[in-house]
Amino acid sequence: MSEHEHIHCSELLGSLSDYIDGVASEALCQEIETHMASCENCRVVVDTLRKTITLYHTLGEETPEISSTARERLYRTLNMEKFL
Ligand SMILES: [Zn+2]
């Protein structure tokens, strides 16, 4: 492994909503993708979150309240309230 400062899980999860929403910078997206390539835990989290959001979009439920409720529930399910 290199000595480069790789993004940590907590940082990644903190930037997750920007990443999913597509508003994260190119550099941040790269960091996140690099991290996910070597961290299965984060890969699962991002995948689950993405599916949840895609589902809401499919249903046409795009209100912020519903999105954040879904995210809250997801994070709670994953025992990650501290990242909310
Ligand atoms: Zn991770």
Side-chain angles (χ1 to χ4, degrees):
M1 289 303 265
S2 76
E3 295 290 317
H4 283 132
E5 203 181 312
H6 284 287
I7 192 166
H8 295 295
C9 293
S10 57
E11 290 175 53
L12 183 144
L13 295 169
S15 310
L16 216 51
S17 55
D18 284 354
Y19 178 70
I20 300 278
D21 290 345
V23 298
S25 67
E26 183 65 22
L28 182 59
C29 288
Q30 291 247 302
E31 282 245 49
I32 289 173
E33 279 154 19
T34 301
H35 177 90
M36 282 196 294
S38 60
C39 182
E40 191 178 354
N41 182 50
C42 288
R43 215 155 51 219
V44 170
V45 172
V46 171
D47 196 47
T48 306
L49 189 55
R50 203 181 246 152
K51 277 183 193 140
T52 304
I53 289 168
T54 303
L55 179 66
Y56 279 113
H57 283 197
T58 304
L59 295 172
E61 304 276 5
E62 293 189 64
T63 60
E65 282 108 313
I66 289 177
S67 289
S68 68
T69 302
R71 194 170 62 207
E72 253 181 67
R73 193 188 308 137
L74 177 70
Y75 275 49
R76 215 170 282 134
T77 302
L78 297 167
N79 273 321
M80 302 193 317
E81 294 101 320
K82 62 184 170 180
F83 298 121
L84 274 169

